[in-house]
Amino acid sequence: MSEIPGDLKFLKTHEWARVEGDGKVTVGISDHAQGLLGDLVYVELPQVGDRVEAGNACAVVESVKAASDVYAPVSGKVVAVNSALSDKPETINEDAFGEGWLFQLEIEDAEQLNELLEPDDYAEQLDDDH
């Protein structure tokens, strides 16, 4: 299992959020999640300008095995999407915590970040799952 970056926060459903420091939050799925899904073949991203609600499905990642909803870790407005994933969804498999990011939000309520799991807690949850 790959190292979990210390600057990320997580949902129990394997999404990660990285606070960029300018009121923006980058969102992706964890390395563990891409490993469970297998080779990704399709990604459906929200539109720039969409408002997403914390805990609601806002994107879909599809592998040869299954389609999986991606949930928003925090509420906010989508300000950027990783359109490169349309042509290369496997980027998520190769670099889930880096180049494989899904979208970026302008966060509405920074307090919501406190409800997310810290990397250690997320790692602990993964251990508990096995």
Side-chain angles (χ1 to χ4, degrees):
M1 191 172 130
S2 76
E3 279 296 296
I4 297 175
D7 63 339
L8 302 183
K9 304 256 192 191
F10 292 87
L11 281 177
K12 287 190 162 99
T13 47
H14 309 299
E15 290 80 7
W16 57 259
R18 176 185 292 121
V19 180
E20 303 297 352
D22 53 0
K24 295 189 176 62
V25 174
T26 301
V27 179
I29 63 169
S30 74
D31 193 58
H32 178 77
Q34 71 76 21
L36 290 177
L37 285 164
D39 293 338
L40 293 171
V41 292
Y42 177 72
V43 180
E44 187 180 308
L45 298 170
Q47 301 288 311
V48 170
D50 283 0
R51 186 180 174 280
V52 299
E53 192 74 42
N56 287 359
C58 59
V60 176
V61 287
E62 209 169 293
S63 71
V64 285
K65 290 194 247 176
S68 184
D69 285 334
V70 176
Y71 298 93
V74 293
S75 299
K77 189 173 88 174
V78 178
V79 292
V81 295
N82 189 351
S83 50
L85 297 177
S86 302
D87 298 327
K88 273 193 76 179
E90 66 273 14
T91 304
I92 298 170
N93 296 116
E94 294 157 10
D95 190 9
F97 293 129
E99 292 299 311
W101 64 278
L102 298 177
F103 56 91
Q104 198 173 58
L105 297 172
E106 207 165 73
I107 191 168
E108 285 175 7
D109 180 5
E111 286 293 304
Q112 289 180 331
L113 292 165
N114 299 332
E115 294 164 30
L116 302 176
L117 297 170
E118 293 294 330
D120 292 349
D121 299 327
Y122 178 69
E124 208 167 282
Q125 176 200 312
L126 296 182
D127 292 341
D128 293 346
D129 288 349
H130 295 297

